[in-house]
Amino acid sequence: MTLTLYGTEVTSRLLLGTARYPSPAVLQRAIAASGTEIVTVSLRRESGPDRAGQAFWSLIREAGVRVLPNTAGCKTVKEAVTTAQMARELFQTDWIKLEVIGEDDTLQPDPFGLVEAAKILCTEGFQVFPYMTEDLIVADRLLAAGCEVLMPWGSPIGSGRGLNNVYALRTLRAHFPNVPLVVDAGIGLPSHAAAAMEFGYDAVLLNTAVAKAGEPEQMARAFAQAVVAGRVAFLADPMEARDMAAPSTPVVGRPFSARD
């Protein structure tokens, strides 16, 4: 059940964000409960005074997880590329979750800026995890730019609406069967995560659903179990839905009495 991302094997298929938790201690417990091996970190947020720099890094090191830096909040190609370059220097990793936001209300990615930034970063040796819509053409362009992983949204960031466009997500999976696909953003419930995994997606990345839950540690544990359940269900080759009923008990050879 291991997943390979840019040559790195991980066991957990749940990726966790580190923003908006009530306290560092709650974050630490949620990371442990989730079993995640990868957490996303925003350069802007974590370098701010509210994180006290070294204290936050001590927490991450103690958790023993891999960091996926994030260009969160970037709206232009130049801004995203510069932030990625700074993140590589600070976090000592070529991994970068690439965001180029094109619309403020939905935080929808700018597909044109995203592809342009991905081309630049891939040329510079970055291993890019692009946050994108569930668009086949954009996916194809990102792969051509050098990306080896794609991260389509389920729904807008922080909305908790789950998988808004199931048809498009299924189509994306079918068109790119050998590309690691990670549903990123909009996941609100463990059932949403399980559904994504049942469609054959390789992993799920979420933040708000755990961070803003009444009991983040318990919610993290629930998501971990849901991701595993969804993956196992996918591998088990689920039955197809039917329009009509199908009796679970066969009627051929059933016992009957003389009065039947």
Side-chain angles (χ1 to χ4, degrees):
M1 297 241 338
T2 60
L3 171 63
T4 301
L5 302 171
Y6 286 107
T8 297
E9 286 192 357
V10 293
T11 301
S12 172
R13 292 172 181 264
L14 175 61
L15 285 65
L16 200 64
T18 56
R20 307 184 67 186
Y21 284 83
S23 70
V26 172
L27 169 60
Q28 193 170 38
R29 291 196 297 270
I31 290 174
S34 73
T36 187
E37 296 165 59
I38 301 172
V39 298
T40 60
V41 176
S42 168
L43 175 64
R44 297 181 180 196
R45 181 175 65 251
E46 305 309 344
S47 60
D50 58 323
R51 285 294 184 179
Q54 294 301 317
F56 177 78
W57 274 112
S58 294
L59 183 154
I60 296 298
R61 284 193 295 270
E62 289 172 10
V65 292
R66 178 159 187 154
V67 172
L68 174 59
N70 187 358
T71 65
C74 293
K75 296 183 178 181
T76 67
V77 172
K78 182 178 180 180
E79 187 180 17
V81 169
T82 300
T83 301
Q85 292 167 339
M86 294 171 62
R88 177 156 66 178
E89 182 176 347
L90 178 62
F91 300 118
Q92 297 296 299
T93 178
D94 290 328
W95 279 18
I96 191 73
K97 180 189 170 187
L98 178 61
E99 291 186 21
V100 182
I101 301 301
E103 205 278 325
D104 289 336
D105 290 332
T106 63
L107 299 179
Q108 180 170 324
D110 170 3
F112 309 103
L114 182 65
V115 171
E116 184 179 348
K119 287 180 180 178
I120 295 170
L121 293 174
C122 288
T123 300
E124 294 184 0
F126 282 89
Q127 296 174 328
V128 179
F129 295 68
Y131 167 61
M132 55 176 285
T133 56
E134 66 282 69
D135 187 288
L136 291 176
I137 308 304
V138 174
D140 194 56
R141 298 292 188 273
L142 288 167
L143 293 173
C147 298
E148 297 180 12
V149 178
L150 300 176
M151 303 182 76
W153 69 351
S155 53
I157 294 172
S159 67
R161 297 183 61 86
L163 309 180
N164 270 358
N165 195 337
V166 170
Y167 171 78
L169 288 170
R170 285 183 177 272
T171 302
L172 191 67
R173 177 72 284 176
H175 273 69
F176 303 103
N178 300 317
V179 176
L181 299 181
V182 182
V183 171
D184 175 18
I187 299 296
L189 294 170
S191 57
H192 299 157
M197 300 302 292
E198 288 169 6
F199 295 163
Y201 275 74
D202 297 285
V204 170
L205 193 161
L206 56 94
N207 185 171
T208 308
V210 171
K212 304 307 289 184
E215 296 288 342
E217 183 178 352
Q218 294 300 328
M219 188 61 77
R221 185 171 291 109
F223 270 108
Q225 295 171 352
V227 167
V228 171
R231 179 63 179 174
V232 172
F234 169 72
L235 295 175
D237 191 15
M239 63 173 285
E240 295 184 3
R242 298 169 53 97
D243 292 329
M244 303 295 290
S248 57
T249 301
V251 296
V252 177
R254 67 176 180 174
F256 64 91
S257 68
R259 288 179 292 179
D260 281 351

